[in-house]
Amino acid sequence: MEKMRAMVLSECAKIETNPLKLTEIDKHQIQRPNEILLKIEACGVCHSQLHGIEGDWKDIGIPPNLPTVPGHELVGKVVQIGDSVSKFKVGDRAGITPLLEACKECQYCKEGKEYLCESSIITGESFKGGYTEFITVTEDFATKVPDNMKPEYAAPLFCAGITAYKAVKAVEPKLHKKIGIFGIGGVGHMAIQFAKVENCDVIAFSRTQKHLDVAKRLGAVDSMTFSENQDEFLDKVKEKHGMLDAAIVFAPADIVTDTAIKSVKKGGLIVIATVGENPSFMAFEEKTIRGTLIGSTKDMEQVIKICDENNIEVISQVFPLESANEVLKKLKNSEIEARAVLIP
């Protein structure tokens, strides 16, 4: 059996202990006639991966299995196709989202919401993750990538990009709608741009100045430093902008979610795109709190199309595969401007 290099997680541990080990594992092989084999060009490094690796999300079953190869937003070149594949040919480029596979038969799949499928298989929660050199996927769950998109640009679109796009859609965008985006990292910096495509007025919130600078450069009408002194922070927001029409939360901190809810006007909408405690709010204020999760294959095709047509900027820093532990440490310490990308 041919081998391939992979960064393998055998036991959840703090990233400072370098839990990912460079290992030779069996190279993935096409097993079914509808599969394609990708030679991975790039894999983005998602903040949710850090939580999985460190064991923060064991209570919600992440990761479900160990050992595992993390990585769930990736692009590559098709190097082999199964006998029944018609969507791709050898030499094409394709990407994979966190949704590696779904049953295609349940109510969610039939409604075009396959990402909610109870039988879904998640990329990076088995040995089929992106922190390696090759991966197989059925053709229906891969999306074509234009040749003009560089790997380090395209890879983050397959989680950060689709998450940002879906969250903006969920907030019901319209002309000059005043939307607060809480958390301007790998996902948030793209959400600003998707909201701008919809002609919304974005106010960006982050703890770090470099992220606020990025937000302003990408078109936010204002960027403000987030503070856990909630009353003081909310007073500043109201003084500068009044109550927000809506908010999107990407920062995985309960205080941020709570503050975002309180920053939105009565009857407004809050989209939560992260994991945390169930927020509390006054029902009499008629606010709507909505969760969101990646998106469908059709959504992913739209992301690629919008980014291609609108020159959406993807801020990425490139690192070799072997540096995965170091990259995740940088991410933990807010030293990554937006998205880190591993190149095998």
Side-chain angles (χ1 to χ4, degrees):
M1 177 72 74
E2 285 187 74
K3 300 289 184 180
M4 63 181 182
R5 294 152 51 247
M7 296 299 288
V8 176
L9 178 73
S10 296
E11 186 176 348
C12 292
K14 293 298 180 185
I15 198 64
E16 290 82 5
T17 66
N18 300 319
L20 296 172
K21 306 299 182 187
L22 184 63
T23 309
E24 294 272 319
I25 64 172
D26 290 342
K27 178 183 171 183
H28 294 308
Q29 305 287 336
I30 287 177
Q31 304 287 339
R32 294 171 289 178
N34 63 339
E35 287 184 334
I36 61 174
L37 176 67
L38 291 180
K39 186 179 191 306
I40 296 173
E41 296 177 305
C43 181
V45 179
C46 182
H47 206 283
S48 64
Q49 227 90 70
L50 180 63
H51 289 291
I53 290 166
E54 295 199 322
D56 298 340
W57 289 354
K58 282 183 178 178
D59 59 329
I60 57 172
I62 296 173
N65 300 299
L66 289 171
T68 182
V69 176
H72 61 214
E73 53 179 42
L74 61 102
V75 296
K77 282 200 172 181
V78 179
V79 292
Q80 187 181 349
I81 62 173
D83 293 341
S84 68
V85 170
S86 59
K87 183 176 172 181
F88 296 94
K89 65 182 185 301
V90 172
D92 285 348
R93 298 177 74 225
I96 306 173
T97 74
L99 182 64
L100 186 69
E101 200 166 320
C103 75
K104 300 178 72 174
E105 296 176 357
C106 69
Q107 69 178 87
Y108 301 116
C109 288
K110 288 179 178 177
E111 290 171 358
K113 297 178 180 179
E114 60 270 21
Y115 51 92
L116 298 177
C117 176
E118 299 283 359
S119 303
S120 62
I121 297 171
I122 305 302
T123 316
E125 293 188 356
S126 67
F127 271 131
K128 279 195 173 181
Y131 293 7
T132 185
E133 296 179 298
F134 293 88
I135 192 169
T136 56
V137 61
T138 60
E139 63 176 334
D140 289 343
F141 292 94
T143 303
K144 287 188 176 181
V145 173
D147 287 336
N148 65 303
M149 283 189 179
K150 293 181 179 179
E152 63 270 25
Y153 177 96
L157 299 180
F158 282 83
C159 177
I162 192 170
T163 299
Y165 168 82
K166 184 82 176 319
V168 170
K169 284 295 183 187
V171 88
E172 299 175 7
K174 61 183 180 182
L175 180 66
H176 293 313
K177 187 167 189 174
K178 190 167 42 178
I179 300 173
I181 296 182
F182 289 77
I184 310 300
V187 184
H189 89 281
M190 289 192 229
I192 291 169
Q193 297 175 83
F194 286 125
K196 290 293 294 179
V197 169
E198 300 281 359
N199 297 307
C200 298
D201 294 333
V202 175
I203 298 104
F205 303 100
S206 178
R207 299 177 195 268
T208 60
Q209 187 59 47
K210 65 181 176 184
H211 288 152
L212 297 176
D213 293 341
V214 166
K216 286 288 283 184
R217 183 170 63 78
L218 294 177
V221 296
D222 193 14
S223 59
M224 298 179 64
T225 303
F226 181 82
S227 167
E228 292 192 9
N229 185 331
Q230 193 177 75
D231 290 340
E232 183 181 306
F233 172 80
L234 290 171
D235 284 344
K236 285 182 180 178
V237 174
K238 289 174 189 173
E239 183 183 334
K240 290 189 78 175
H241 301 289
M243 299 295 284
L244 304 176
D245 296 322
I248 304 174
V249 182
F250 296 119
D254 297 336
I255 182 64
V256 179
T257 301
D258 186 65
T259 304
I261 292 168
K262 289 175 179 172
S263 72
V264 171
K265 70 183 184 183
K266 293 178 182 180
L269 176 59
I270 301 95
V271 172
I272 301 173
T274 183
V275 173
E277 295 292 325
N278 293 325
S280 60
F281 72 110
M282 285 292 293
F284 296 154
E285 292 185 347
E286 293 196 351
K287 295 179 183 180
T288 299
I289 297 178
R290 178 178 293 169
T292 186
L293 173 71
I294 54 169
S296 66
T297 305
K298 286 187 177 179
D299 288 330
M300 192 63 238
E301 290 170 355
Q302 278 297 110
V303 170
I304 295 293
K305 183 173 184 287
I306 291 168
C307 289
D308 202 27
E309 292 177 353
N310 293 274
N311 295 315
I312 299 294
E313 184 175 345
V314 177
I315 300 172
S316 62
Q317 295 168 252
V318 173
F319 301 87
L321 177 65
E322 294 84 352
S323 298
N325 288 303
E326 289 70 27
V327 172
L328 284 155
K329 285 175 212 168
K330 287 179 179 291
L331 186 63
K332 185 175 182 177
N333 295 324
S334 297
E335 294 170 9
I336 299 295
E337 189 176 15
R339 209 55 157 190
V341 176
L342 299 177
I343 304 292

